[in-house]
Amino acid sequence: MQKNIHKIDRIIEIQIYLYIVVMFLTRGEGVRNVLIFSSFALWLFTLKERKCLVLLREKPAKLFWVFVGVTLISVIFSIDPWYSLSEFKHEPLKYAVLFPVISTVMTDAAKLKRFAYACIAAELLFVCVGYYSFMVYDLHQVRPYTVLMNVY
């Protein structure tokens, strides 16, 4: 079973990398949801065999769970609970699903290094796409309009 857990961990790791790449795409909501919740399902499938679940009870994890709990309480006691609940399922629920997966799958130095490289590569991709769209399409919303532009 330990060999299967390594394969499943690798699949989860690839899904997290793909999520990072498609995170800022505007039309990728369905793909993002499939990547997040399928990796969470795989993580739940192998939960009994995991030995590093103690990471979910340390101080940073406790702070995160307090954040999720306070968010859930504020959703329940808000003025419009249905709207708050619909907004809760967008971001905080995804964080609550991703946090245990990332904290228990990315446990060794090699995985953390690959995770950092994937984040840097995705950020460079997003910056290059932003510069490309600014140079090619000349978006007026991105162009700063200040007094210094009109000085000369």
Side-chain angles (χ1 to χ4, degrees):
M1 185 68 182
Q2 194 67 17
K3 187 175 183 179
N4 290 338
I5 287 185
H6 289 299
K7 289 179 183 177
I8 291 173
D9 279 353
R10 187 70 177 150
I11 292 170
I12 291 172
E13 190 179 353
I14 291 170
Q15 287 179 336
I16 291 170
Y17 298 151
L18 288 173
Y19 174 75
I20 290 169
V21 170
V22 299
M23 186 168 31
F24 293 107
L25 298 179
T26 56
R27 297 178 188 240
E29 186 69 27
V31 174
R32 287 191 299 257
N33 287 337
V34 166
L35 290 172
I36 289 173
F37 292 110
S38 64
S39 65
F40 184 69
L42 285 174
W43 180 78
L44 281 177
F45 179 69
T46 60
L47 189 61
K48 189 189 284 186
E49 305 296 324
R50 297 205 178 268
K51 295 174 179 55
C52 56
L53 292 177
V54 72
L55 295 172
L56 297 177
R57 287 183 240 129
E58 290 185 2
K59 287 183 182 182
K62 286 180 183 177
L63 288 174
F64 177 76
W65 295 122
V66 166
F67 164 73
V68 171
V70 167
T71 307
L72 189 60
I73 289 171
S74 68
V75 163
I76 292 170
F77 293 110
S78 70
I79 294 173
D80 189 5
W82 292 112
Y83 175 75
S84 298
L85 189 63
S86 70
E87 289 300 313
F88 178 76
K89 73 178 183 180
H90 289 292
E91 294 303 320
L93 181 64
K94 290 178 186 175
Y95 298 148
V97 167
L98 272 176
F99 180 76
V101 174
I102 290 175
S103 64
T104 56
V105 171
M106 306 284 185
T107 53
D108 61 347
K111 289 180 183 178
L112 288 173
K113 191 181 282 189
R114 285 194 298 258
F115 184 69
Y117 287 148
C119 288
I120 290 171
E123 290 171 9
L124 288 174
L125 174 71
F126 300 143
V127 168
C128 290
V129 167
Y131 281 138
Y132 172 76
S133 65
F134 178 69
M135 287 186 271
V136 172
Y137 299 113
D138 194 28
L139 300 175
H140 296 289
Q141 294 87 357
V142 181
R143 185 182 302 158
Y145 185 75
T146 62
V147 177
L148 294 175
M149 284 182 56
N150 301 321
V151 168
Y152 58 96

